[in-house]
Amino acid sequence: MTSPVGHNRPVRFGVIGCADIAWRRTLPAMVAEETVGLVAVASRQSVKAERFADRFGCVPVEGYEALLARDDIDAVYVPLPAMLHADWVGRALAAGKHVFAEKPLTTEEHRTRQLVALARARGLVLLENFMFLHHSQHAAVDELVAGGAIGEMRGFSSAFTIPPKPADDIRNSAETGGGALVDIGVYPIRAAMRFLGPDLELGGAVLRIDRERDIAVSGSVQLFRPDDGVTAQLNFGMEHSYRTSYELSGSRGRLSLDRVFTPPESYQPVLRLERQDHREERTLPADDQFRNVVRDFARAVRTGDRLDGLAECSLRNAALVEQVRDHAQRVYV
Ligand SMILES: NC(=O)c1ccc[n+]([C@@H]2O[C@H](COP(=O)([O-])OP(=O)(O)OC[C@H]3O[C@@H](n4cnc5c(N)ncnc54)[C@H](OP(=O)(O)O)[C@@H]3O)[C@@H](O)[C@H]2O)c1
């Protein structure tokens, strides 16, 4: 196992998979963040690893196993297609590396449970990258809700929809990206847990399944809080116009935000507050959620924080995804 990381030296990262998200967002954030150092990037093809290594100033590695075998790496970033996460996250933990994994950590509760247990047993940090949770805009919403701005909580709604991707995109394959529920639907589910608490239960769900590709292309999920019946109405899909939003409704008013899952670091969110006799817009400060999540992961590695609360939410999210898959009404198109 790699030697423990002290409080003072940067966490040394390796990456497995030359993913688009790594190129556009995560690796630029890692390079900018002084508490981490990017050591190596691995690809199944050396030419891809070299392109990434040239841009980000690190070592190209051919093959993921070769990267995991390096002893100059403390932590591994896993931006592979969703259906491959469980296997490679498990291998990285078994190799003694802390793991920063793209969402969804896995698509089955028992696999997530195994990985969380393995990380705990080995004293390693395991974090699922729901980077939106690390943006400061949600704390502004919390503050208003706690101050009574919308009265008592009655309901939450959220949508994440994107336009169709090219035919060869991972999301269009059941074996790799796994379709809209596991790649996109997990965001509004996680957002509902963020605002209503993790103990939500499934009320009902509809999945629109593309018969030819055998994947969900869109869907709708209703969750509810068993103790008081507060509901969450969630929509997702990859055959739409682009939308990422949420709204909290209360007994006296509503709060809503757009671009909640993927705001660029320069974007200033606009929070809308509406009541019977009042309508207001507040511009919130821009924030860099990719840099924040990388910094939060590094802090956990350096301080020995196991991020138990987030791990519990990863487990609950996987359980809800599994329930949706098992119980949704399916419409084949
Ligand atoms: N947190 C976020 O904001 C965010 C945003 C977008 C996506 N994501 C997540 O990030 C992950 C990657 O998404 P992406 O859009 O960046 O995907 P992508 O560009 O297709 O990259 C996936 C990488 O996985 C590797 N890979 C290994 N086996 C593969 C296989 N059988 N088929 C295809 N690729 C394979 C490839 O790297 P090599 O060829 O180099 O080996 C490929 O470049 C997904 O889990 C997605 O949900 C997260």
Side-chain angles (χ1 to χ4, degrees), residues 14 19-20 25 60 71 75 94 183 219 256 271 306 308 325 330:
D20 175 61
R25 306 296 297 269
D71 60 10
D183 197 275
S256 60
L271 193 154
R306 297 185 314 178
D308 283 342
R325 212 170 29 221
R330 287 178 154 67

Side-chain angles (χ1 to χ4, degrees), residues 16-332:
I16 57 176
C18 288
D20 175 61
I21 188 63
W23 178 266
R24 284 190 298 111
R25 306 296 297 269
T26 326
L27 299 199
M30 279 185 187
V31 168
E33 175 52 39
E34 54 278 359
T35 58
V36 310
L38 183 59
V39 174
V41 178
S43 172
R44 295 165 300 167
Q45 297 166 42
S46 54
V47 62
K48 284 174 81 176
E50 279 156 20
R51 177 167 166 262
F52 272 57
D54 279 353
R55 175 176 170 197
F56 296 109
C58 63
V59 180
V61 175
E62 187 176 341
Y64 304 158
E65 285 289 4
L67 185 132
L68 297 184
R70 293 179 73 103
D71 60 10
D72 58 352
I73 284 171
D74 308 304
V76 177
Y77 171 52
V78 182
L80 299 176
M83 307 308 278
L84 278 55
H85 290 173
D87 182 25
W88 283 102
V89 169
R91 293 195 207 200
L93 291 169
K97 311 299 186 195
H98 303 280
V99 176
F100 177 48
E102 270 309 334
K103 39 53 63 175
L105 181 53
T106 83
T107 57
E108 290 161 303
E109 186 189 7
H110 81 277
R111 302 289 308 266
T112 295
R113 195 173 294 286
Q114 284 168 352
L115 295 177
V116 169
L118 179 58
R120 282 180 186 161
R122 306 208 64 174
L124 297 166
V125 174
L126 171 60
L127 179 64
E128 179 179 33
N129 186 21
F130 275 116
M131 73 292 152
F132 80 91
L133 296 170
H134 303 258
H135 195 291
S136 55
Q137 61 183 333
H138 314 298
V141 173
D142 291 339
E143 212 171 292
L144 281 164
V145 172
I150 59 170
E152 274 181 44
M153 184 76 88
R154 294 284 185 255
F156 176 85
S157 63
S158 177
F160 192 174
T161 60
I162 63 172
K165 292 276 191 182
D168 62 355
D169 187 89
I170 54 171
R171 290 156 191 79
N172 288 317
S173 150
E175 288 76 39
T176 54
L181 171 63
V182 297
D183 197 275
I184 303 163
V186 290
Y187 282 95
I189 292 174
R190 188 67 185 81
M193 290 166 58
R194 162 73 175 71
F195 287 101
L196 302 185
D199 298 323
L200 298 176
E201 292 186 10
L202 182 65
V206 178
L207 293 176
R208 213 170 101 93
I209 308 283
D210 181 300
R211 209 185 288 275
E212 208 172 301
R213 289 174 283 172
D214 190 28
I215 51 161
V217 284
S218 61
S220 182
V221 170
Q222 187 189 61
L223 305 177
F224 67 99
R225 209 157 58 181
D227 54 344
D228 61 3
V230 169
T231 55
Q233 307 285 348
L234 314 173
N235 290 305
F236 54 90
M238 48 187 202
E239 49 179 6
H240 302 68
S241 61
Y242 191 81
R243 182 173 186 205
T244 82
S245 63
Y246 64 62
E247 179 178 287
L248 285 76
S249 351
S251 54
R252 293 180 52 231
R254 333 189 262 284
L255 271 172
S256 60
L257 269 173
D258 290 327
R259 302 185 71 177
V260 289
F261 298 124
T262 58
E265 63 266 28
S266 56
Y267 177 70
Q268 292 183 281
V270 179
L271 193 154
R272 282 178 301 281
L273 170 61
E274 290 180 68
R275 285 195 292 262
Q276 179 75 8
D277 54 355
H278 179 88
R279 185 188 159 94
E280 178 186 338
E281 289 193 344
R282 294 190 190 180
T283 302
L284 303 176
D287 198 10
D288 185 348
Q289 59 187 20
F290 273 83
R291 178 118 179 226
N292 292 347
V293 69
V294 166
R295 186 188 303 129
D296 290 347
F297 176 86
R299 186 187 307 121
V301 170
R302 283 152 56 121
T303 61
D305 182 349
R306 297 185 314 178
L307 304 176
D308 283 342
L310 290 173
E312 287 305 319
C313 289
S314 293
L315 273 165
R316 192 69 202 130
N317 199 316
L320 286 169
V321 166
E322 223 177 311
Q323 284 176 31
V324 171
R325 212 170 29 221
D326 290 348
H327 300 293
Q329 300 283 340
R330 287 178 154 67
V331 179
Y332 289 86

